[in-house]
Amino acid sequence: MTSFLILLKKELRYQLRTYRLLVVVAVFFIFGLGTPLLFHYMPEFMPESEITIQLPQFTTTDVVNEYIDTVSQIGMIASILVAMSAVAKERELGTAALTLSKPVGSGAFITAKLASLALVFAAGITVGALGCYLYTMVIYGDLNARDFFLANLVAGLYLLFCLAFTVMCSSFFKSQLAAGGLALVGLVCLAVTSGLPVMKDYSPGVLLVWSRDIASGGGSNHWGVLTVSLVLIALTLLAGWQVFKRKEL
Amino acid sequence: MKAISCQGLTKHYGNVIGLDNLNLDIEEGTIFGFLGPNGAGKTTTLKMLTGLSRPTSGRAWVAGEEITLYSSSLKRKIGYLPEEPAFYNWMTGREYLVFVGELFRLSPGEIRTRCDELLEMVDLSQAASRRVGGYSRGMRQRLGIAQALMNKPKVLFLDEPSSALDPIGRLEILKTITRLKTQATTVFLSSHILADVERVCDVVGIIDEGRLIIESDIDDLREHFARSLFELEFEEDAFPFIKLLEGLPWVEKVVLEEEKDTSKFTVRASDMARGKRELPKLIAENGLTLRQYQLVMPTLEEVFIELLGKKED
């Protein structure tokens, strides 16, 4: 077994033992399941009054768009909360020093962290997507499984970027809060600027637009955004590793 | 062959000097005691020698490997116990040792055997399946020693290994360190418990404010700092002999151990070498029956205080 696999196994056990895996999966499941239910029962949630509020007839597109928005927003917050401690906490406590006094590369250490978090979020998105798909089918009876799967894959890629960015920030600091703060500011700035003319063709935030397009059967392609996002994920990982390996423990 | 060699090893933290031009050679199989007050630079040295910190200047070799930050080939040959070992609290003691064994690429069989041996050695077999988060400080220290020995290291770095242990635990650890000598393991032991260092170490280095003050064989050090004092005890009354001694040019003072008892006294010499040469001859010439003749040797603690005290002056 390579050091990466040994560390990945350790990280996954950590996610399991500390209930992080369970919490992340539960969060995605609740929001995945809740979105179609919320839309279906929304008229019943409206308080009775003399003023008549005309609600539009919701379609599967509305449900899926809302689901993608929720997954991206909740997912981004969850990714910051879960990943901000990844490296910073180990440096702060001293566990990184003891692990890295063994024949382990700092690259394997960082990569295993990101890989384990990616697997946890992949499990969460899968469960959430299944919940959303099943209830949408039960309530609305019409959702293209292939498109919905691809839409989740693209949204998942956006969350992978959020995780990679937060892990990078975590390797900059010994303080989890500083790491989380920097990640939040960075990701919010990215989301806000995604609509700007130059950014709309390349920003990872546009992945969510693409995800919604795919889910609603739209034919637009954003291969440039996909390429840039993959390159940015690799670069943030590389930056995190390079910064971390220069840090003294 | 040298197990550890440092050439001008220096570490600066901004304007603060953590370690200043450390030159040190430690032979294979030596148990080296690294002494110094708090903040002297002991942990800084250990971190650089284990590849966890980068020197500002200078070079060092450990087990034939030049130290570089996070060098894997270096780490395969060393064991390291930090001052306050931090473990993954959600793991059990055994799980942590298995994890360390895997990182050293030991086979599953080797890991199992080594875990059993080490848990037994540090008296943690009963607590092996308990989570490390519930361990006492002493238990964590013992687990730290076990993990440092997992790969049967050529050079073992121990930073205050016995500071959190009770007297029996300390004794066990000192026995373990002594046993390592028979396995040709070099031990670099940083400690402020001078009695422990005195008990197990062959060579000591004393560091203060980042500078190595002295490096010496422990017996040579005590000899060097031996106070010029002879303790003598005779079967008979030695009053005439005391009078004779008081008249000699190399004798500074004769002090009776107990008033009116002239059979037991100490002689402070102004010239130690002459005293060592002439005193036995004089005793024989005066026909005295010797019960005790002892050159008073200082403890390591006295040497330590004297050295650091001199520096203060």
Side-chain angles (χ1 to χ4, degrees):
Chain A
M1 234 192 314
T2 64
S3 19
F4 167 75
L5 288 176
I6 296 162
L7 290 168
L8 179 62
K9 190 173 86 175
K10 186 268 285 179
E11 289 296 332
L12 288 173
R13 263 198 307 182
Y14 167 68
Q15 304 292 346
L16 198 66
R17 293 257 182 100
T18 54
Y19 304 107
R20 283 162 184 252
L21 174 66
L22 189 71
V23 170
V24 170
V25 168
V27 165
F28 278 102
F29 183 65
I30 288 165
F31 284 101
L33 205 73
T35 308
L37 284 175
L38 185 73
F39 272 73
H40 183 67
Y41 290 108
M42 196 179 283
E44 289 178 30
F45 295 151
M46 303 302 280
E48 281 185 25
S49 70
E50 291 177 356
I51 305 160
T52 311
I53 299 170
Q54 192 67 44
L55 285 173
Q57 191 65 39
F58 294 119
T59 62
T60 48
T61 306
D62 298 320
V63 173
V64 170
N65 281 346
E66 182 59 27
Y67 163 76
I68 298 291
D69 282 348
T70 310
V71 161
S72 62
Q73 286 158 13
I74 298 296
M76 187 185 91
I77 292 165
S79 69
I80 293 172
L81 289 175
V82 174
M84 69 184 195
S85 62
V87 184
K89 192 178 172 191
E90 287 228 28
R91 281 185 60 212
E92 191 184 0
L93 293 177
T95 45
L98 204 50
T99 302
L100 288 164
S101 70
K102 311 290 179 263
V104 178
S106 48
F109 187 80
I110 296 274
T111 317
K113 295 258 175 215
L114 180 60
S116 69
L117 290 167
L119 288 172
V120 166
F121 274 70
I125 292 175
T126 306
V127 171
L130 274 174
C132 181
Y133 180 77
L134 288 174
Y135 267 75
T136 307
M137 288 299 283
V138 168
I139 297 166
Y140 296 93
D142 174 33
L143 182 60
N144 185 307
R146 182 184 156 277
D147 288 349
F148 188 65
F149 168 75
L150 287 174
N152 274 285
L153 200 64
V154 174
L157 189 66
Y158 171 73
L159 292 184
L160 179 61
F161 170 75
C162 294
L163 286 170
F165 187 78
T166 311
V167 168
M168 179 189 74
C169 295
S170 184
S171 68
F172 290 173
F173 303 101
K174 249 186 182 179
S175 152
Q176 301 175 54
L177 280 178
L182 181 67
L184 182 67
V185 170
L187 291 173
V188 167
C189 283
L190 194 81
V192 169
T193 56
S194 288
L196 294 177
V198 185
M199 300 291 276
K200 72 177 168 43
D201 294 328
Y202 301 105
S203 171
V206 182
L207 286 171
L208 299 173
V209 177
W210 191 18
S211 174
R212 280 192 290 266
D213 280 356
I214 296 171
S216 55
S220 68
N221 283 321
H222 296 268
W223 300 116
V225 173
L226 177 71
T227 311
V228 169
S229 299
L230 289 172
V231 169
L232 282 177
I233 289 167
L235 284 179
T236 46
L237 186 62
L238 191 70
W241 171 40
Q242 288 300 316
V243 169
F244 181 66
K245 82 175 195 183
R246 280 170 178 74
K247 297 265 184 199
E248 297 186 357
L249 299 170
Chain B
M1 195 184 158
K2 305 274 183 286
I4 299 171
S5 183
C6 304
Q7 288 178 4
L9 204 61
T10 301
K11 179 75 183 178
H12 290 180
Y13 298 102
N15 293 327
V16 179
I17 299 171
L19 188 67
D20 189 12
N21 195 32
L22 177 70
N23 292 296
L24 190 65
D25 284 315
I26 300 171
E27 293 293 328
E28 242 175 37
T30 304
I31 301 182
F32 181 82
F34 201 44
L35 301 169
N38 291 338
K42 301 190 297 288
T43 300
T44 300
T45 308
L46 248 83
K47 284 196 168 180
M48 282 193 284
L49 293 177
T50 50
L52 292 173
S53 172
R54 191 187 294 106
T56 307
S57 63
R59 299 167 75 185
W61 291 262
V62 173
E65 299 283 340
E66 180 159 12
I67 57 155
T68 51
L69 205 59
Y70 307 133
S71 158
S72 282
S73 51
L74 165 71
K75 289 186 281 188
R76 267 188 204 98
K77 296 178 178 175
I78 64 167
Y80 171 53
L81 170 71
E83 190 173 353
E84 284 179 21
F87 304 102
Y88 299 111
N89 286 337
W90 49 272
M91 282 188 182
T92 66
R94 181 179 286 276
E95 278 173 347
Y96 191 80
L97 291 183
V98 170
F99 170 61
V100 170
E102 285 174 347
L103 291 177
F104 279 110
R105 310 284 199 283
L106 303 182
S107 69
E110 278 176 305
I111 291 174
R112 219 172 12 255
T113 314
R114 200 80 188 112
C115 280
D116 290 341
E117 281 171 8
L118 291 168
L119 286 166
E120 182 71 36
M121 188 191 88
V122 297
D123 197 22
L124 281 177
S125 299
Q126 298 294 316
S129 350
R130 274 171 51 194
R131 288 200 178 184
V132 181
Y135 279 16
S136 68
R137 199 169 163 222
M139 289 164 88
R140 294 170 80 88
Q141 196 81 356
R142 298 206 304 268
L143 182 64
I145 289 163
Q147 63 79 31
L149 291 169
M150 183 52 113
N151 59 326
K152 297 184 178 168
K154 284 188 176 173
V155 182
L156 179 64
F157 292 93
L158 303 171
D159 198 354
E160 305 283 0
S162 52
S163 58
L165 303 177
D166 56 36
I168 295 168
R170 263 176 65 194
L171 198 67
E172 286 302 315
I173 293 308
L174 296 179
K175 273 187 199 165
T176 306
I177 293 171
T178 312
R179 266 204 305 273
L180 289 171
K181 202 174 173 178
T182 60
Q183 296 161 21
T185 304
T186 308
V187 181
F188 190 100
L189 170 69
S190 160
S191 179
H192 69 272
I193 304 176
L194 301 175
D196 290 355
V197 173
E198 194 160 20
R199 190 177 282 172
V200 296
C201 294
D202 315 304
V203 181
V204 292
I206 299 178
I207 187 173
D208 189 31
E209 291 174 359
R211 293 189 76 93
L212 187 70
I213 301 171
I214 200 163
E215 181 205 350
S216 171
D217 182 285
I218 206 157
D219 292 329
D220 291 349
L221 191 70
R222 289 164 67 185
E223 185 100 356
H224 181 76
F225 284 89
R227 290 168 296 178
S228 309
L229 214 62
F230 297 92
E231 271 181 12
L232 298 172
E233 190 179 353
F234 299 99
E235 291 281 349
E236 55 278 281
D237 175 16
F239 183 72
F241 185 61
I242 292 171
K243 286 287 154 201
L244 171 75
L245 289 174
E246 282 174 342
L248 295 172
W250 56 268
V251 175
E252 199 179 298
K253 199 177 181 183
V254 179
V255 181
L256 294 180
E257 196 87 340
E258 281 175 47
E259 211 178 340
K260 293 178 187 167
D261 181 2
T262 50
S263 65
K264 196 175 178 184
F265 53 91
T266 55
V267 179
R268 182 179 288 278
S270 55
D271 184 342
M272 186 69 172
R274 201 166 160 195
K276 272 189 192 172
R277 211 168 43 242
E278 291 187 15
L279 196 56
K281 204 160 68 183
L282 283 169
I283 295 166
E285 282 171 4
N286 283 272
L288 293 164
T289 319
L290 199 58
R291 195 180 278 169
Q292 188 191 332
Y293 172 93
Q294 192 182 330
L295 182 64
V296 179
M297 298 298 276
T299 62
L300 188 57
E301 191 168 343
E302 285 165 332
V303 173
F304 183 80
I305 290 166
E306 191 172 337
L307 267 168
L308 295 185
K310 263 185 193 168
K311 208 171 157 284
E312 291 287 313
D313 295 339

